[in-house]
PDB file of all heavy atoms in Angstrom:
ATOM      1  N   GLN A  16     -42.159  -7.290 118.066  1.00  0.00           N
ATOM      2  CA  GLN A  16     -41.302  -8.347 118.033  1.00  0.00           C
ATOM      3  C   GLN A  16     -41.618  -9.327 116.989  1.00  0.00           C
ATOM      4  O   GLN A  16     -42.677  -9.778 116.920  1.00  0.00           O
ATOM      5  CB  GLN A  16     -41.233  -8.987 119.516  1.00  0.00           C
ATOM      6  CG  GLN A  16     -40.666  -8.078 120.522  1.00  0.00           C
ATOM      7  CD  GLN A  16     -40.331  -8.953 121.842  1.00  0.00           C
ATOM      8  OE1 GLN A  16     -41.123  -9.733 122.204  1.00  0.00           O
ATOM      9  NE2 GLN A  16     -39.346  -8.547 122.501  1.00  0.00           N
ATOM     10  N   GLY A  22     -36.309 -22.846 110.018  1.00  0.00           N
ATOM     11  CA  GLY A  22     -35.228 -23.080 109.160  1.00  0.00           C
ATOM     12  C   GLY A  22     -34.610 -24.410 109.381  1.00  0.00           C
ATOM     13  O   GLY A  22     -34.841 -25.063 110.371  1.00  0.00           O
ATOM     14  N   SER A  30     -38.854 -29.468 100.828  1.00  0.00           N
ATOM     15  CA  SER A  30     -39.637 -28.327 101.302  1.00  0.00           C
ATOM     16  C   SER A  30     -39.410 -27.895 102.726  1.00  0.00           C
ATOM     17  O   SER A  30     -39.061 -28.810 103.544  1.00  0.00           O
ATOM     18  CB  SER A  30     -41.160 -28.687 101.066  1.00  0.00           C
ATOM     19  OG  SER A  30     -41.501 -29.017  99.793  1.00  0.00           O
ATOM     20  N   ALA A  37     -45.431 -12.708 115.376  1.00  0.00           N
ATOM     21  CA  ALA A  37     -45.398 -11.306 115.534  1.00  0.00           C
ATOM     22  C   ALA A  37     -46.170 -11.032 116.771  1.00  0.00           C
ATOM     23  O   ALA A  37     -47.172 -11.555 117.124  1.00  0.00           O
ATOM     24  CB  ALA A  37     -45.991 -10.643 114.306  1.00  0.00           C
ATOM     25  N   ALA A  50     -50.735  -4.152 108.907  1.00  0.00           N
ATOM     26  CA  ALA A  50     -49.485  -3.757 108.068  1.00  0.00           C
ATOM     27  C   ALA A  50     -49.101  -4.861 107.147  1.00  0.00           C
ATOM     28  O   ALA A  50     -49.278  -6.135 107.461  1.00  0.00           O
ATOM     29  CB  ALA A  50     -48.363  -3.494 109.045  1.00  0.00           C
ATOM     30  N   GLY A  60     -22.035 -12.730 101.689  1.00  0.00           N
ATOM     31  CA  GLY A  60     -21.395 -11.912 100.786  1.00  0.00           C
ATOM     32  C   GLY A  60     -22.403 -11.185  99.742  1.00  0.00           C
ATOM     33  O   GLY A  60     -21.925 -10.476  98.690  1.00  0.00           O
ATOM     34  N   ARG A  63     -29.192  -8.068 101.144  1.00  0.00           N
ATOM     35  CA  ARG A  63     -30.486  -8.661 101.508  1.00  0.00           C
ATOM     36  C   ARG A  63     -31.455  -8.444 100.390  1.00  0.00           C
ATOM     37  O   ARG A  63     -31.414  -7.338  99.789  1.00  0.00           O
ATOM     38  CB  ARG A  63     -31.016  -7.951 102.733  1.00  0.00           C
ATOM     39  CG  ARG A  63     -32.139  -8.579 103.373  1.00  0.00           C
ATOM     40  CD  ARG A  63     -32.404  -8.054 104.799  1.00  0.00           C
ATOM     41  NE  ARG A  63     -31.396  -8.366 105.743  1.00  0.00           N
ATOM     42  CZ  ARG A  63     -31.318  -8.098 107.073  1.00  0.00           C
ATOM     43  NH1 ARG A  63     -32.463  -7.545 107.601  1.00  0.00           N
ATOM     44  NH2 ARG A  63     -30.317  -8.492 107.714  1.00  0.00           N
ATOM     45  N   ILE A  69     -46.923  -9.699 101.500  1.00  0.00           N
ATOM     46  CA  ILE A  69     -48.305  -9.920 101.663  1.00  0.00           C
ATOM     47  C   ILE A  69     -48.978  -8.676 102.314  1.00  0.00           C
ATOM     48  O   ILE A  69     -48.366  -8.051 103.047  1.00  0.00           O
ATOM     49  CB  ILE A  69     -48.523 -11.194 102.447  1.00  0.00           C
ATOM     50  CG1 ILE A  69     -49.946 -11.607 102.476  1.00  0.00           C
ATOM     51  CG2 ILE A  69     -48.026 -11.027 103.956  1.00  0.00           C
ATOM     52  CD1 ILE A  69     -50.313 -13.009 102.905  1.00  0.00           C
ATOM     53  N   SER A  72     -54.465  -8.139 104.629  1.00  0.00           N
ATOM     54  CA  SER A  72     -55.539  -9.088 104.753  1.00  0.00           C
ATOM     55  C   SER A  72     -55.201 -10.521 104.203  1.00  0.00           C
ATOM     56  O   SER A  72     -55.866 -11.420 104.368  1.00  0.00           O
ATOM     57  CB  SER A  72     -56.732  -8.596 103.925  1.00  0.00           C
ATOM     58  OG  SER A  72     -56.480  -8.623 102.522  1.00  0.00           O
ATOM     59  N   GLY A  84     -43.822 -19.400  91.942  1.00  0.00           N
ATOM     60  CA  GLY A  84     -44.192 -20.737  91.633  1.00  0.00           C
ATOM     61  C   GLY A  84     -43.709 -21.790  92.588  1.00  0.00           C
ATOM     62  O   GLY A  84     -44.153 -22.969  92.566  1.00  0.00           O
ATOM     63  N   THR A  87     -44.715 -19.802  98.716  1.00  0.00           N
ATOM     64  CA  THR A  87     -46.046 -19.229  98.999  1.00  0.00           C
ATOM     65  C   THR A  87     -45.996 -18.532 100.376  1.00  0.00           C
ATOM     66  O   THR A  87     -45.648 -19.140 101.335  1.00  0.00           O
ATOM     67  CB  THR A  87     -47.045 -20.225  98.979  1.00  0.00           C
ATOM     68  OG1 THR A  87     -47.124 -20.962  97.746  1.00  0.00           O
ATOM     69  CG2 THR A  87     -48.549 -19.630  99.134  1.00  0.00           C
ATOM     70  N   ILE A  88     -46.294 -17.222 100.419  1.00  0.00           N
ATOM     71  CA  ILE A  88     -46.488 -16.476 101.580  1.00  0.00           C
ATOM     72  C   ILE A  88     -47.891 -16.430 102.024  1.00  0.00           C
ATOM     73  O   ILE A  88     -48.787 -16.246 101.204  1.00  0.00           O
ATOM     74  CB  ILE A  88     -45.880 -15.170 101.340  1.00  0.00           C
ATOM     75  CG1 ILE A  88     -45.743 -14.407 102.771  1.00  0.00           C
ATOM     76  CG2 ILE A  88     -46.614 -14.249 100.401  1.00  0.00           C
ATOM     77  CD1 ILE A  88     -44.922 -13.135 102.664  1.00  0.00           C
ATOM     78  N   ARG A  90     -50.570 -15.426 105.863  1.00  0.00           N
ATOM     79  CA  ARG A  90     -50.538 -14.925 107.255  1.00  0.00           C
ATOM     80  C   ARG A  90     -51.787 -15.353 107.972  1.00  0.00           C
ATOM     81  O   ARG A  90     -52.811 -15.452 107.341  1.00  0.00           O
ATOM     82  CB  ARG A  90     -50.367 -13.384 107.228  1.00  0.00           C
ATOM     83  CG  ARG A  90     -51.432 -12.622 106.516  1.00  0.00           C
ATOM     84  CD  ARG A  90     -51.078 -11.241 106.337  1.00  0.00           C
ATOM     85  NE  ARG A  90     -50.840 -10.489 107.604  1.00  0.00           N
ATOM     86  CZ  ARG A  90     -50.403  -9.260 107.799  1.00  0.00           C
ATOM     87  NH1 ARG A  90     -49.987  -8.637 106.638  1.00  0.00           N
ATOM     88  NH2 ARG A  90     -50.182  -8.639 108.975  1.00  0.00           N
ATOM     89  N   ASN A  92     -53.832 -13.807 110.839  1.00  0.00           N
ATOM     90  CA  ASN A  92     -54.065 -12.637 111.636  1.00  0.00           C
ATOM     91  C   ASN A  92     -54.757 -12.800 112.994  1.00  0.00           C
ATOM     92  O   ASN A  92     -54.835 -11.920 113.798  1.00  0.00           O
ATOM     93  CB  ASN A  92     -54.817 -11.563 110.811  1.00  0.00           C
ATOM     94  CG  ASN A  92     -53.862 -10.780 109.766  1.00  0.00           C
ATOM     95  OD1 ASN A  92     -52.702 -10.881 109.875  1.00  0.00           O
ATOM     96  ND2 ASN A  92     -54.493 -10.170 108.891  1.00  0.00           N
ATOM     97  N   ASN A  95     -51.495 -14.085 114.634  1.00  0.00           N
ATOM     98  CA  ASN A  95     -50.358 -13.143 114.363  1.00  0.00           C
ATOM     99  C   ASN A  95     -49.048 -13.944 113.898  1.00  0.00           C
ATOM    100  O   ASN A  95     -48.012 -13.727 114.449  1.00  0.00           O
ATOM    101  CB  ASN A  95     -49.989 -12.341 115.554  1.00  0.00           C
ATOM    102  CG  ASN A  95     -51.044 -11.212 115.874  1.00  0.00           C
ATOM    103  OD1 ASN A  95     -51.914 -10.989 114.984  1.00  0.00           O
ATOM    104  ND2 ASN A  95     -51.096 -10.827 117.119  1.00  0.00           N
ATOM    105  N   PRO A 106     -30.127 -25.161  95.734  1.00  0.00           N
ATOM    106  CA  PRO A 106     -28.969 -24.693  96.618  1.00  0.00           C
ATOM    107  C   PRO A 106     -28.882 -23.233  96.620  1.00  0.00           C
ATOM    108  O   PRO A 106     -28.353 -22.602  97.669  1.00  0.00           O
ATOM    109  CB  PRO A 106     -27.828 -25.400  95.793  1.00  0.00           C
ATOM    110  CG  PRO A 106     -28.399 -26.620  95.234  1.00  0.00           C
ATOM    111  CD  PRO A 106     -29.784 -26.284  94.884  1.00  0.00           C
ATOM    112  N   THR A 139     -30.461 -23.920 104.682  1.00  0.00           N
ATOM    113  CA  THR A 139     -29.306 -24.466 103.896  1.00  0.00           C
ATOM    114  C   THR A 139     -29.783 -25.607 103.035  1.00  0.00           C
ATOM    115  O   THR A 139     -30.450 -26.543 103.491  1.00  0.00           O
ATOM    116  CB  THR A 139     -28.251 -25.028 104.816  1.00  0.00           C
ATOM    117  OG1 THR A 139     -27.775 -23.950 105.678  1.00  0.00           O
ATOM    118  CG2 THR A 139     -27.012 -25.527 103.974  1.00  0.00           C
ATOM    119  N   SER A 142     -26.982 -29.916  97.451  1.00  0.00           N
ATOM    120  CA  SER A 142     -27.316 -30.516  96.128  1.00  0.00           C
ATOM    121  C   SER A 142     -27.152 -32.031  96.165  1.00  0.00           C
ATOM    122  O   SER A 142     -26.711 -32.576  97.205  1.00  0.00           O
ATOM    123  CB  SER A 142     -26.411 -30.002  94.955  1.00  0.00           C
ATOM    124  OG  SER A 142     -25.039 -30.206  95.364  1.00  0.00           O
TER     125      SER A 142
END
Side-chain angles (χ1 to χ4, degrees):
Q16 289 190 325
S30 298
R63 192 167 296 189
I69 189 167
S72 69
T87 303
I88 188 171
R90 65 191 296 170
N92 280 346
N95 293 341
T139 303
S142 57

